Amino acid sequence: MDTHLHHTHLHPHTEHHMKGSETLTDIVIGMSDGLTVPFALAAGLSGAIKDVNLIVIAGLAEIAAGSIAMGLGGYLAGKTEQDHYASELRREYDEIERLPHVEREEVREFFEGLGLSREVQEKATDELIRDKDRWADFMMKYELGLEKPDPKRALKSALNIGLSYVVGGMIPLSPYFMVDDGITGLKYSAVVTLICLFIFGYFKSKITGTSPLAGAVRVMIIGAIAASCAFGIAKWIEG
């Protein structure tokens, strides 16, 4: 019983950490594509179009479309998570109704695994399964490793990813607002974007626990290769 109370006491901290991680993941997803895709697109257009206004218009259109598409992807992923949880929860309630002795034994085995005496195992199990909602919730976490998703998660994810994409996309596109030709814009955009990709890759790697410097260089190189390929292909098609 004390173990269950201890678990409940720690639960809010786990939820807070999980939600923070989800938001951070959304931002990383949006910024990754936002910095890279519009940068590559503008670079490609710079290799084929001299009118900088067309590059800006195309870039803005891509950022709008990309942010909507990315946001929608995040929304659908969030809804899928919610639907999966709801489906598994219904199955768990059904198993509690049809096979209560089996489900009860799984709860007892959990407490046994914690090293509790047989007497305490039985008491803790009987106390927990008195409430079927609490019983089902416990089985979702212990048996399936599933936490109840935030009902607003899908919308939050869509907004986080979409807005991060817009912020990331405006960085490589912004220099084109201040120049008269695409090549000049590309030069400034390359400098600004590669610096931002390096910084982004550095902090992303620190968060994920990998080598920050190596991660920063890797992200920067990927962005540079994407833009270079787009520019080269555009020049080749033009020629």
Side-chain angles (χ1 to χ4, degrees), residues 1 4 14 23-24 51 66-67 70 102-103 115 125 127 130 133 141 155 172 193 195 201 223 228 238:
M1 183 62 190
H4 174 66
T14 304
T23 300
L24 205 57
D51 188 349
S67 63
M70 292 286 290
V102 174
E103 295 296 293
T125 300
E127 182 68 27
R130 284 181 186 176
D133 292 335
K141 294 170 188 170
L155 182 58
T193 306
I195 290 173
S228 299
E238 183 188 31

Side-chain angles (χ1 to χ4, degrees), residues 87-193:
S87 174
E88 292 296 336
L89 184 61
R90 286 193 298 269
R91 185 178 291 113
E92 202 59 56
Y93 273 112
D94 180 61
E95 290 177 355
I96 287 172
E97 290 292 337
R98 292 187 300 103
L99 304 166
H101 58 289
V102 174
E103 295 296 293
R104 183 192 185 282
E105 181 62 16
E106 290 182 355
V107 174
R108 190 200 62 76
E109 287 175 356
F110 172 80
F111 291 120
E112 181 182 27
L114 296 178
L116 301 178
S117 67
R118 182 71 187 216
E119 181 183 0
V120 175
Q121 292 171 31
E122 296 292 345
K123 287 182 179 180
T125 300
D126 289 338
E127 182 68 27
L128 187 143
I129 67 175
R130 284 181 186 176
D131 186 321
K132 287 186 178 179
D133 292 335
R134 184 172 59 185
W135 188 357
D137 182 60
F138 179 87
M139 295 305 293
M140 291 291 285
K141 294 170 188 170
Y142 158 65
E143 185 180 24
L144 303 176
L146 297 175
E147 292 282 352
K148 185 176 181 180
D150 181 354
K152 298 179 180 178
R153 167 66 184 153
L155 182 58
K156 289 177 181 176
S157 182
L159 292 174
N160 290 337
I161 294 175
L163 290 175
S164 297
Y165 189 94
V166 171
V167 172
M170 288 305 297
I171 291 173
L173 192 62
S174 58
Y176 292 91
F177 287 93
M178 299 173 283
V179 297
D180 296 323
D181 65 278
I183 296 299
T184 303
L186 177 58
K187 291 176 181 177
Y188 289 116
S189 177
V191 173
V192 172
T193 306

Side-chain angles (χ1 to χ4, degrees), residues 193-205 216 219-220:
T193 306
L194 292 177
I195 290 173
C196 288
L197 282 169
F198 183 90
I199 295 171
F200 172 76
Y202 183 88
F203 284 104
K204 177 184 175 183
S205 298
V219 170
M220 185 177 67

